[in-house]
Amino acid sequence: MGILRTAAEGGAEGSMKGTHASSHSPPLYSKMATVDFDSSADPEMDLTSDEELEREAEGFKEQGNAYYVKKDYPEAFNFYTKAIDLCPKNASYYGNRAATLMMLSRYREALEDSQQAVRLDESFMKGHMREGKCHLLLGNAMAASRCLQRVLELELDNSQAQQELKNAESILEYERMAEISFEKRDFRMVVFCMDRALESASACHRFKVLKAECLALLGRYPEAQSVASDILRMDSTNGDALYVRGLCLYYEDCIDKAVQFFVQALRMAPDHEKARLACRNAKALKAKKEEGNKAFKDGSYEEAYDLYSEALTIDPNNIKTNAKLYCNRATVGSKLNKLEQAIEDCTKAIKLDETYIKAYLRRAQCYMDTEQYEEAVRDYEKVYQTEKTKEHKNLLKNAQLELKKSKRKDYYKVLGVDKNATEDEIKKAYRKRALMHHPDRHSGASAEVQKEEEKKFKEVGEAFTVLSDPKKKSRYDSGHDLEDDDMNMDFDANNIFKAFFGGPGGFSFEGNSSSGPGNFFFQFG
């Protein structure tokens, strides 16, 4: 059969030579050659050649069918291609190769073959069906509907076409819902809609990219990266997929790598507005953050605070970077003694990223500085559960100790002195408070007031007993339970007062049963 094909080609080429020779009055041997060729250009032989080609093509088709049944689709494709090469006007060959390409998931090529098949034979129902199915798999629901309607015109009760037409209508509805949800920033709903649409349009890169973009916006970066990578494996020049890869890196605070992907996406698709905007935001965010960091290192805390605040306005969607910016601003806030603002910034950072250990640590320290020990313990417990380091354990123990201390009587507050008060300051504070709350000074008050003042007077004595004794004060400051540690807390407020104020020119006290609660008689000497 190869000889026949060569002869046909040679005959065509020979015919051209013969025409050229006669127009220039060729010599005798040339005329003889022309005659010889003409005698071979027998119409009957040309007809035979066409029939042979058709038979050979049919043979290739049959071999292709055999391989198709065996599910050896690459070999089936090869033989259908051979059949098409011999008879490029046969619609069924294109139809068969389209079916094979669909089994190989090469839907765009299958679509082209299906379209060629129906161009050659407009009534080729299977060709219209395959074209519609390819459009559907590629996410072109409107085009799929037109093809499937044509199938139903040729075969009204075709159940497969009826079902696929319903699938096309469902895809259009999911597209509509996804568009509305995206505008409302309901990214979870968009992902849901795209998942449903992809059940019928499994090869639609557009749907996959939209799903991946929304996964990234939801902070589900590994899933988004996976979807985008799958697309790029099939189409390395897909600008949308490159954009999503960059978006994931951008949202994971890998800004330099993200910019590289955005630039690549713009190289593939110069009009990609999302990639252009993301690239601009990434560069601006990096620059502003670095300016803030430099100002902080230079000790320009007010400037750093303002720069971090400006950076936070650039892209509200960048959760991870914004979490770091809030934490950075909290650090600056604590330097500026804006502790409540710092706590609020840490809380915002944690809300954006619940795994952000640094934000928990910073907030816990701010809680310690503002004596909110229960909150500090809660944050340190969270940190220690996540990272069981020696440092975190010590921070937790210290917070628990401060919490324990805060629940006892605060003797420093009772006396109205600072925790670093000197011995003289403690004595002066006791003198002032003891005189202020002595029961005899309130003997004319109501029984309720007298009782309250007596209680305060005793607390002042108790506080002085502890804080004026170096050993007791040390144990108190270290957080020991003073009573359980066998520290002698037995004291007589009257004796302490008398010892402190007694002596020449001092004060004297005498018991008097009529002097009210506590039986104190207050008399200046």
Side-chain angles (χ1 to χ4, degrees):
M1 294 308 298
I3 296 172
L4 285 173
R5 291 183 63 191
T6 304
E9 292 168 1
E13 186 179 354
S15 176
M16 290 175 65
K17 288 180 179 178
T19 304
H20 179 76
S22 61
S23 64
H24 290 82
S25 301
L28 181 59
Y29 73 89
S30 296
K31 290 181 180 179
M32 290 175 64
T34 301
V35 171
D36 289 342
F37 174 78
D38 286 342
S39 66
S40 67
D42 187 344
E44 190 172 323
M45 180 171 283
D46 288 342
L47 181 61
T48 302
S49 298
D50 289 341
E51 290 174 353
E52 287 292 331
L53 288 173
E54 289 176 6
R55 279 197 294 273
E56 187 176 3
E58 278 295 305
F60 285 142
K61 186 195 81 170
E62 292 303 324
Q63 286 178 278
N65 289 349
Y67 281 113
Y68 188 93
V69 170
K70 293 177 183 177
K71 298 184 179 180
D72 188 346
Y73 302 118
E75 276 303 305
F77 171 82
N78 291 336
F79 280 101
Y80 289 140
T81 300
K82 290 179 180 180
I84 289 170
D85 288 342
L86 292 177
C87 294
K89 302 292 185 183
N90 190 308
S92 68
Y93 297 168
Y94 287 99
N96 285 7
R97 191 169 72 175
T100 304
L101 286 165
M102 290 175 74
M103 299 307 295
L104 291 168
S105 299
R106 292 160 60 179
Y107 301 114
R108 294 192 183 280
E109 296 169 79
L111 177 60
E112 292 174 8
D113 273 0
S114 299
Q115 290 172 329
Q116 179 62 15
V118 298
R119 275 195 290 269
L120 292 170
D121 182 359
E122 222 291 318
S123 64
F124 187 24
M125 187 271 292
K126 287 185 178 180
H128 288 293
M129 174 65 80
R130 287 175 185 138
E131 182 186 0
K133 183 64 175 174
C134 287
H135 277 307
L136 200 63
L137 287 162
L138 293 167
N140 304 320
M142 291 292 289
S145 295
R146 289 193 293 271
C147 296
L148 295 166
Q149 290 286 3
R150 179 60 180 148
V151 172
L152 293 174
E153 289 172 11
L154 295 170
E155 189 178 300
L156 185 61
D157 59 348
N158 190 303
S159 59
Q160 185 183 358
Q162 291 170 350
Q163 181 56 51
E164 296 295 4
L165 195 58
K166 289 179 181 178
N167 292 340
E169 291 169 356
S170 294
I171 288 175
L172 289 171
E173 178 60 18
Y174 284 126
E175 282 190 83
R176 186 189 67 80
M177 290 169 60
E179 184 178 355
I180 294 171
S181 298
F182 193 91
E183 289 177 1
K184 292 180 178 178
R185 301 183 64 79
D186 186 354
F187 303 125
R188 284 183 176 80
M189 178 55 73
V190 178
V191 171
F192 171 81
C193 290
M194 290 301 94
D195 279 338
R196 300 291 79 74
L198 284 164
E199 290 174 358
S200 298
S202 58
C204 181
H205 288 177
R206 183 164 50 89
F207 293 167
K208 289 179 180 179
V209 165
L210 180 56
K211 174 185 175 180
E213 181 180 2
C214 289
L215 286 170
L217 291 168
L218 289 168
R220 293 160 62 179
Y221 307 121
E223 295 172 76
Q225 288 270 31
S226 177
V227 174
S229 296
D230 286 344
I231 296 171
L232 290 170
R233 272 193 289 272
M234 294 180 280
D235 179 9
S236 61
T237 64
N238 189 296
D240 290 328
L242 289 167
Y243 159 70
V244 171
R245 284 291 307 276
L247 196 66
C248 290
L249 290 166
Y250 170 53
Y251 286 158
E252 290 183 290
D253 202 32
C254 301
I255 293 180
D256 289 333
K257 288 183 180 179
V259 169
Q260 292 176 10
F261 274 97
F262 294 144
V263 170
Q264 194 176 351
L266 288 167
R267 196 176 294 128
M268 297 298 113
D271 297 328
H272 203 298
E273 282 304 315
K274 286 185 177 181
R276 191 180 307 281
L277 177 62
C279 190
R280 186 166 64 243
N281 283 347
K283 290 178 179 178
L285 197 56
K286 181 186 177 185
K288 194 65 70 176
K289 182 181 176 185
E290 288 178 350
E291 286 179 46
N293 292 348
K294 184 178 184 304
F296 178 78
K297 288 177 182 177
D298 293 343
S300 303
Y301 299 133
E302 290 287 358
E303 183 185 356
Y305 192 93
D306 292 340
L307 287 166
Y308 289 138
S309 298
E310 289 174 28
L312 282 163
T313 66
I314 292 173
D315 186 0
N317 291 323
N318 196 321
I319 293 171
K320 204 155 193 174
T321 302
N322 287 343
K324 291 182 179 180
L325 287 169
Y326 275 121
C327 192
N328 286 1
R329 194 170 74 172
T331 302
V332 178
S334 65
K335 293 285 186 181
L336 295 170
N337 205 31
K338 299 178 179 179
L339 294 175
E340 289 303 326
Q341 179 62 51
I343 289 171
E344 186 178 333
D345 278 347
C346 288
T347 301
K348 288 178 179 177
I350 291 166
K351 187 176 181 180
L352 292 175
D353 183 0
E354 293 182 354
T355 66
Y356 195 11
I357 294 298
K358 189 175 179 181
Y360 283 104
L361 289 170
R362 171 59 55 194
R363 188 171 70 175
Q365 184 57 56
C366 290
Y367 281 139
M368 292 290 287
D369 293 340
T370 53
E371 299 184 2
Q372 299 180 64
Y373 299 120
E374 288 188 7
E375 290 81 356
V377 167
R378 187 167 58 245
D379 276 355
Y380 283 132
E381 283 177 342
K382 172 73 174 178
V383 170
Y384 186 63
Q385 287 169 4
T386 306
E387 294 182 1
K388 287 182 167 60
T389 67
K390 185 177 180 180
E391 179 187 359
H392 295 161
K393 184 178 181 179
N394 289 336
L395 288 169
L396 175 59
K397 286 180 69 176
N398 184 55
Q400 290 170 333
L401 174 61
E402 291 301 323
L403 176 61
K404 179 182 177 182
K405 287 160 64 176
S406 71
K407 289 185 175 182
R408 298 177 313 165
K409 289 178 183 176
D410 188 337
Y411 291 145
Y412 292 100
K413 281 187 178 180
V414 169
L415 292 183
V417 295
D418 184 78
K419 291 183 179 180
N420 298 314
T422 64
E423 184 178 349
D424 284 344
E425 288 172 336
I426 291 171
K427 287 181 179 180
K428 287 178 182 178
Y430 170 70
R431 178 190 295 270
K432 179 181 177 181
R433 295 298 174 105
L435 290 172
M436 183 186 303
H437 298 296
H438 193 284
D440 284 356
R441 172 164 281 183
H442 304 280
S443 59
S446 67
E448 185 178 350
V449 170
Q450 290 185 43
K451 186 175 181 181
E452 181 63 25
E453 290 300 324
E454 181 183 353
K455 178 182 176 184
K456 288 180 180 179
F457 179 72
K458 288 182 177 181
E459 285 180 348
V460 168
E462 182 180 340
F464 181 71
T465 299
V466 172
L467 299 183
S468 62
D469 183 313
K471 182 179 178 182
K472 291 180 179 179
K473 181 177 183 297
S474 175
R475 294 177 70 82
Y476 174 80
D477 288 341
S478 65
H480 288 85
D481 187 318
L482 302 180
E483 293 182 345
D484 287 352
D485 278 342
D486 297 327
M487 290 182 66
N488 183 13
M489 293 302 294
D490 293 330
F491 67 92
D492 188 312
N494 181 37
N495 289 338
I496 295 170
F497 192 89
K498 188 173 182 180
F500 192 88
F501 289 101
F507 299 91
S508 63
F509 297 86
E510 294 179 8
N512 189 330
S513 59
S514 63
S515 62
N519 298 321
F520 291 101
F521 176 75
F522 183 74
Q523 176 184 344
F524 288 98

